[in-house]
Amino acid sequence: MGTVSECFPYLVDTSKATGGGFVSDLRFHPIIKAGQLLPIGGLDLLPFYVEHGARRGMEGHEEPYHCLGFLIEDRLCYLSDISRMPDPTLSLLQTKQIDLLIVDCLRVEPPYKSHYCLADSLGLATQLEAKQTYLVGMTHTMDYRTMQPDLDARTGGTVRMAHDGLRLLFIY
């Protein structure tokens, strides 16, 4: 929250807005600790750590850069930025019935330091036995018209490329 307050003060306190435009009305729900259930808007969210590339640590060594994924109502798994799934997180998710997996998929060609590529995303969908998977965060090199038919043939329609304007119904 300190970083958000410093970089975007008008999002935290609308009286600090300097332009004449509209400022979003946001309600922040700070996540104090990954692994701790967080009820928000009538839904139970479980934040957990995944790796999103690496960074230089205090002593100059590379160490994993952690970001959060979310398990919502024990059935929807949201992973917008992931390069590696830690074993404890994978073990936790494998105990759940994942109806909907929304997962990062930057491009077809691996490797990429901070994002999953197609093989990673498809592998995770298989490991979690997700009923339905949507790929997000793709580059312009992943053309929906050519790739979706191939994905349908490979996965029986259980993996789809998300797109602008897509709306998903999640009944919990």
Side-chain angles (χ1 to χ4, degrees):
M1 280 305 296
T3 301
V4 172
S5 296
E6 185 178 316
C7 295
F8 307 102
Y10 56 88
L11 292 178
V12 178
D13 179 356
T14 56
S15 71
K16 294 181 179 177
T18 58
F22 173 77
V23 177
S24 296
D25 181 20
L26 301 174
R27 280 180 256 141
F28 291 95
H29 298 274
I31 297 169
I32 305 303
K33 182 180 174 188
Q36 183 175 344
L37 200 61
L38 185 64
I40 296 179
L43 295 173
D44 286 334
L45 280 76
L46 180 67
F48 53 83
Y49 288 117
V50 296
E51 292 180 20
H52 181 42
R55 63 180 176 185
R56 293 254 178 239
M58 297 283 267
E59 298 174 14
H61 303 290
E62 277 201 357
E63 56 187 44
Y65 180 79
H66 290 105
C67 72
L68 294 175
F70 298 93
L71 183 61
I72 303 166
E73 292 295 323
D74 276 347
R75 297 181 17 244
L76 188 159
C77 184
Y78 180 76
L79 300 164
S80 63
D81 288 303
I82 181 173
S83 61
R84 186 180 164 286
M85 174 72 71
D87 290 337
T89 302
L90 179 60
S91 295
L92 166 76
L93 294 175
Q94 286 177 319
T95 67
K96 308 298 181 182
Q97 173 74 45
I98 305 297
D99 292 333
L100 182 57
L101 171 63
I102 299 170
V103 64
D104 185 16
C105 183
L106 184 67
R107 61 187 192 184
V108 173
E109 310 82 24
Y112 197 84
K113 289 173 71 170
S114 56
H115 293 278
Y116 266 6
C117 292
L118 184 60
D120 304 311
S121 302
L122 294 176
L124 182 63
T126 299
Q127 287 180 298
L128 297 181
E129 299 179 7
K131 290 181 182 177
Q132 185 69 53
T133 298
Y134 281 88
L135 307 177
V136 296
M138 288 92 56
T139 66
H140 68 284
T141 62
M142 293 183 68
D143 181 65
Y144 182 88
R145 290 169 293 179
T146 57
M147 288 198 63
Q148 190 58 61
D150 179 58
L151 283 172
D152 289 342
R154 291 170 65 180
T155 69
T158 61
V159 176
R160 310 281 306 160
M161 295 175 70
H163 52 82
D164 290 346
L166 176 67
R167 299 177 97 184
L168 300 173
L169 178 64
F170 179 66
I171 300 171
Y172 60 98

